[in-house]
Every structure is written in structure tokens, then in C-alpha cells.
Amino acid sequence: MFITFEGIEGSGKTTQIPCLVEFLEQAGYTVVTTREPGGTAIGDQIRNILLDFNNTDMQIRTEVLLFQASRAQLVEQVIRPSLAKGFLVISDRYADSTLAYQGYGYQLDLAQLQEIVRFATGGLKPDLTLLLDVDVEEGLRRRFGGGGKNRLDAYDPDFYHRVRQGYHLLVQAEPQRWVVIDAGRSPDQVQRDIRRVVHQRLSQKNEKQ
Ligand code: TYD
């Protein structure tokens, strides 16, 4: 089973995922975790290019393609082989980030992006996507405090409002794949919800097998 986490900056993905993994491993699952951009040796090099403050000339289409290059490598090198072995794969961001950030945030053509994403992933979609949903101002306060930590952090609040709204539109388009978690609460409460949702999906899947 392939599970992805999505959400704007400060939604808590990076805190929540390791806690979920610990819980699942204790329950006997073999879990492979990964993140985007990056997650492979080649992908991590691409990540460095994407995040580097010095790359002020980077064009938005270049950015889109670099995200997809990192993703294509990750899908072939890590995600597909792990799923084939029956492992659980959990990714901190995946294709929906491109649609939310480059599509809704930067307002690039969504249909074109969907096509490029399909090419990069070879059509591989998550079985379950959790949206850690947090108020934009709260997320930005949690994450940045003062200023951005890398080149991709230089966006304004309006941008993140569009991204958040975009995520909700993606949820509406595919409600069976998504679960929205209210990430404005305490980390413990959020983790409890995440575990409940994932546990429920895993037991449904095991029943079907
Ligand atoms: P990162 O430091 O990993 O942030 P986070 O902890 O919020 O995931 O940086 C990833 C940044 O890249 C984040 O701002 C979202 C952005 N991004 C896109 O714009 N498009 C994409 O396809 C992906 C995967 C990420």
C-alpha cells in the first residue's frame, strides 16, 4: 500500500510521519519512507538545485521538470520495487504537490501538469493521501517564524492560500483517495487521527486480500 502526506508548510508532516512509522513498525509492517523532492541519491542532488537560494534565475517550467525528474527516479528506484515486495510506502509529498503548488499556487495549466505528472510517475497513484490541513497564517508562523529557509520558501501568504484551496479542490475531485486531517490541533491529537485512518485502511485492505 502506498500512502502519501500532503499539506502546506507548517502542517506538521515531518513531525507526524516518523511517529506513524514507529506505530506501524511495532504493528509488524515493513515501512519504507521517502520524501519529495529527493529520496534517492539522484533526487537529493535535484533537491539541492531546487532549494538553492543562489538559483534565482530558475524558470517555473524548469522547476516543474526538476520536480518530475526527482519523482521519476523515486518511483522507479524506490516506490515500485518496495510495493512489489509487499512493503508499505509512505511519502512526505508526491504528485499532488505539483498540482497544488505549481498548478494552483503558480497557476500553470492544470491539464498539462497532470500529463507531465502522469509521465513522471508512470501513472502510479497513492492508495491513500492524507491532507494535513492547517490555517495558512498558523502554518507560516509555525514553519518560518521570521524568514524562509530555502529558495522555495520565498512565497507570499496569498500563494499559500491558493495552494491550500488547491488541495481542497483535489480532495473534492477524488474524495475516495483523500482524508483531510485537521492539523491545527496538538501533535498528539493529530497523530491519533492519522493512526486511526491508516489502521482502518490497512485492515480493509487485509480483509480484501
Ligand atoms: P521542503 O523543505 O521539503 O518543505 P516541506 O517540509 O514543506 O515539504 O521543501 C519542499 C518544497 O517544495 C515545498 O515548498 C513544496 C515544494 N514542492 C513543489 O512546489 N512541487 C512539488 O512537486 C513538490 C514535491 C514540492
Side-chain angles (χ1 to χ4, degrees), residues 7-9 13-14 36-37 47 51 63 67-68 71 92-94 97-98 101-102 143 150 152-153 155 160:
I8 60 164
E9 272 68 0
K13 293 180 280 86
T14 315
E36 280 208 15
R47 178 184 175 87
L51 301 191
E63 195 173 295
F67 279 122
Q68 308 321 306
R71 181 168 301 141
D92 184 344
R93 300 194 180 281
Y94 187 62
S97 282
T98 294
Y101 281 76
Q102 280 66 48
R143 172 65 183 266
N150 63 54
L152 295 172
D153 289 342
Y155 307 131
Y160 289 106

